[in-house]
Amino acid sequence: MHNTFLHLACVISPLFASVVAGFFGSVIGREKSHQITIGAVGASFLIAMYLLLGSLGENFQPQNYNLYSWAVVGNLNMEIGFLIDRLTLLMMVVVTFVSLMVHIYTIGYMEDDPGYQRFFSYISLFTFAMLMLVMSNNFLQLFFGWEAVGLVSYLLIGFWFKKESAVVANLKAFLVNRVGDFGFLLGIAGIVYFTNSLDYYDVFSQAGNIASQKIQITSTISWDAITMICILLFIGAMGKSAQAPLHVWLPDSMEGPTPISALIHAATMVTAGIFMVARMSPLFELSETALAFILIIGASTAFFMGLLGIIQNDIKRVVAYSTLSQLGYMTVALGASAYSAAIFHLMTHAFFKALLFLAAGSVIIAMHHEQDIRKMGGLKKYMPITYVTSLIGTLALVGFPGSAGFFSKDALIETVKYSHWLGDGAIYWISYMSVLVGVFITSLYSFRMFFLVFHGEERMDKKTKDHLHETSSVVTTPLILLAIPSVIIGWITIEPLLFGSYFGEAIKVLPQHDVLSGLSDNFHGSWDFLLHSFSASLAFYMALLGFLVSWFLYIKNPELPSKINKKLQAFVSILEKKYYFDVLWMDVFPKIGKTIGGFLWKKGDERIIDGAMVNGTAYGIKSIASVIRQFQSGYLYHYAFVMIIGLVFVLSWLLWIG
């Protein structure tokens, strides 16, 4: 029996609230707007939690059904429907819970903003779009949710539309994502071409047939259809989940208000790509080439984006680059066929990353919207709740033993270690060393931010210092509620998610790719996993080393970092330029496009289309008409003469053929 009403209520409630707050917000007022939106998202969370708890029994069966047929083109049915399995339910709970915390937090953060109702409308709409994406049972609905989260992100990043940097940032996010989405759309087109279906189950049942097909590129070159489709789908994920080189939009999304930074980076948008690849595991499992490509992209993003976090001074941008790095970790797990580990880290990351962003927002409020960590320091005694929750979030991010991030990150690194199907070549070692060294880098920049903000010398001005105090309860309550799962969720969920049968048939892994089975042989419970990290886990010691280096540089010898920067100026300069990716996307590519466009305009449009075809045709007709016009003299004897000549010609022709 379908729980159709509950499913519809879960997804429609945020949409209804968004419409009410957006169109009638000025009528009902600020308080009613946030009450309606928070109530709607809260209802969605309760429904999702109820459905998740109901799915934990042994008799649970995934529900896959269509609500209605949108269009029929030949034999291709375009339908709207839901696929409710445990993967979907987990995502629904994560999305709605984090969204609910962000909604509550927004009351305090945006209380003086004139766009208060509009902001609540947007974030509710964002929640609706993400729910449509994760609950879809077909590629059409998936693409709708995919584009909807992109559209709403554009509205939210540029929420302060009178601020030029915000307008540039939202346009950048929108355009860069369109690059990825073009690949995603081509991948869906390839699926439709080979299967004539948009339904997940239909496509998965024909996955073996796709794997046997070739795409002829030239007369001598052909590519595996499954590899091309999977890589194209993943290019879409690279845009949404901000994998290099399509990552450049994510740090700039910090131009939006802090609550939306938390929502984008933690539970919506950036997690869409990770979820999509996990959902498409029956396809990706059939192409080791695509998996290797994913692995390399993820490892590169995890390592190189982490390095950029070390030199950031904006508190939100430090957290933003940590998101890029952690998304790289999730992508590495996908490439290693450890889809469950990727989703596990996605879940834990959603809680502690939302916590870190909201804690950063709390600091920004207290500092009168100052975001430079070099102008902070010693906030521990002024903001105890923000301090403790920030510490919990930081420990979870670096993977401190016992935290939620520890269980997911350590398991993820171990899955790469056990990825023997990759062989013992360059791909394996590059991937493994990238994620391992990335732990040190994560710990270094995380504790750098933590020490500069909460410890050491107080570097703020006197006016700011005199007014420093803990933020209101409407801001700190979401911090506390997010800190709880950031501590305990790993203990509870590691066994069923990684080594149990929680996901069931939602995730498919071929026996030769099952890296988690090697890890499960050494798993004897959460506590044993924790103890094992102290004796056999290199990740723990890399995190500890990062902490010690950070403490030595920013607490013990705070003058040393500037000296190191001067010694490594060439390297630091590259990092400050963000490896020139921004130059590439914002200067080089647009100039190339403008040059090509100018050439096509001048040579193609003006000379060929307008000149030769349009104007040339007109000139030709004019020339012919000027000749013919000579025969239209207006004199009767001229017309008689022409008639006689014509008659002579006709008679001569008839005599000749006769």
Side-chain angles (χ1 to χ4, degrees), residues 8 121 147 231 335 421 480 507 608:
L8 281 171
S121 175
E147 293 302 307
I231 288 176
W421 64 269
I480 297 169
I507 291 174
I608 297 175

Side-chain angles (χ1 to χ4, degrees), residues 200-209:
Y200 289 164
Y201 281 2
D202 284 349
V203 172
F204 296 161
S205 66
Q206 300 182 61
N209 179 53

Side-chain angles (χ1 to χ4, degrees), residues 428-494:
Y428 172 81
W429 283 107
I430 290 172
S431 302
Y432 182 56
M433 294 308 298
S434 294
V435 295
L436 197 58
V437 177
V439 175
F440 165 76
I441 296 170
T442 301
S443 182
L444 177 60
Y445 67 68
S446 298
F447 280 107
R448 170 182 177 264
M449 180 184 72
F450 184 76
F451 289 144
L452 287 177
V453 173
F454 294 103
H455 291 272
E457 180 188 355
E458 297 177 359
R459 297 176 297 277
M460 70 286 292
D461 59 61
K462 188 176 184 303
K463 183 180 178 182
T464 302
K465 185 178 178 179
D466 291 340
H467 292 86
L468 269 176
H469 59 84
E470 185 62 88
T471 46
S472 64
S473 59
V474 76
V475 172
T476 56
T477 299
L479 300 183
I480 297 169
L481 293 175
L482 284 165
I484 295 170
S486 298
V487 174
I488 68 171
I489 197 69
W491 293 87
I492 303 169
T493 58
I494 182 171

Side-chain angles (χ1 to χ4, degrees), residues 125-424:
L125 186 61
F126 210 173
T127 307
F128 159 75
M130 192 64 190
L131 287 172
M132 285 292 288
L133 190 156
V134 301
M135 294 172 68
S136 63
N137 71 342
N138 61 84
F139 286 93
L140 176 70
Q141 190 174 327
L142 174 69
F143 189 72
F144 166 79
W146 196 267
E147 293 302 307
V149 295
L151 173 63
V152 185
S153 71
Y154 170 84
L155 297 173
L156 283 163
I157 295 169
F159 181 79
W160 289 320
F161 53 83
K162 294 182 180 180
K163 185 179 174 186
E164 187 178 354
S165 57
V167 174
V168 172
N170 74 347
L171 188 61
K172 187 177 184 180
F174 190 80
L175 293 177
V176 172
N177 270 279
R178 297 295 72 74
V179 175
D181 293 353
F182 181 66
F184 187 58
L185 191 59
L186 287 176
I188 294 174
I191 287 171
V192 173
Y193 177 80
F194 286 106
T195 66
N196 197 36
S197 178
L198 288 164
D199 183 85
Y200 289 164
Y201 281 2
D202 284 349
V203 172
F204 296 161
S205 66
Q206 300 182 61
N209 179 53
I210 302 174
S212 64
Q213 302 291 323
K214 298 282 187 180
I215 297 177
Q216 206 67 36
I217 306 301
T218 67
S219 58
T220 57
I221 300 174
S222 62
W223 291 347
D224 291 335
I226 192 71
T227 296
M228 177 174 275
I229 287 171
C230 287
I231 288 176
L232 287 170
L233 290 175
F234 179 67
I235 289 172
M238 287 171 65
K240 279 289 180 289
S241 295
Q243 297 296 290
L246 300 181
H247 68 282
V248 293
W249 67 270
L250 192 63
D252 287 357
S253 69
M254 298 300 99
E255 293 294 337
T258 298
I260 196 52
S261 300
L263 199 54
I264 289 178
H265 286 242
T268 59
M269 191 132 173
V270 297
T271 62
I274 308 299
F275 165 79
M276 184 274 292
V277 176
R279 174 63 79 196
M280 302 302 142
S281 60
L283 300 178
F284 283 89
E285 279 298 282
L286 299 178
S287 176
E288 290 192 355
T289 303
L291 291 175
F293 177 74
I294 294 170
L295 197 68
I296 289 297
I297 293 293
S300 303
T301 304
F303 179 76
F304 289 107
M305 296 304 113
L307 286 175
L308 294 181
I310 300 173
I311 64 156
Q312 301 302 314
N313 296 312
D314 184 303
I315 188 171
K316 287 173 64 177
R317 286 185 177 264
V318 177
V319 186
Y321 277 103
S322 79
T323 300
L324 285 172
S325 182
Q326 296 307 303
L327 287 167
Y329 275 90
M330 298 175 210
T331 305
V332 166
L334 295 173
S337 285
Y339 307 98
S340 300
I343 297 297
F344 183 34
H345 194 54
L346 182 157
M347 177 190 67
T348 62
H349 175 263
F351 298 127
F352 65 73
K353 185 52 55 72
L355 171 60
L356 285 171
F357 266 114
L358 298 188
S362 179
V363 170
I364 293 168
I365 295 171
M367 291 291 297
H368 301 288
H369 295 279
E370 176 61 66
Q371 296 184 197
D372 193 332
I373 59 177
R374 294 170 298 182
K375 298 179 181 178
M376 301 178 188
L379 294 186
K380 174 184 176 181
K381 67 179 182 182
Y382 300 103
M383 307 178 71
I385 299 176
T386 302
Y387 171 78
V388 172
T389 52
S390 295
L391 178 60
I392 291 171
T394 301
L395 292 174
L397 175 60
V398 303
F400 183 81
S403 67
F406 157 75
F407 289 102
S408 58
K409 184 182 283 189
D410 210 66
L412 192 152
I413 294 170
E414 289 295 302
T415 60
V416 181
K417 180 181 177 181
Y418 282 94
S419 300
H420 299 307
W421 64 269
L422 290 167
D424 199 30

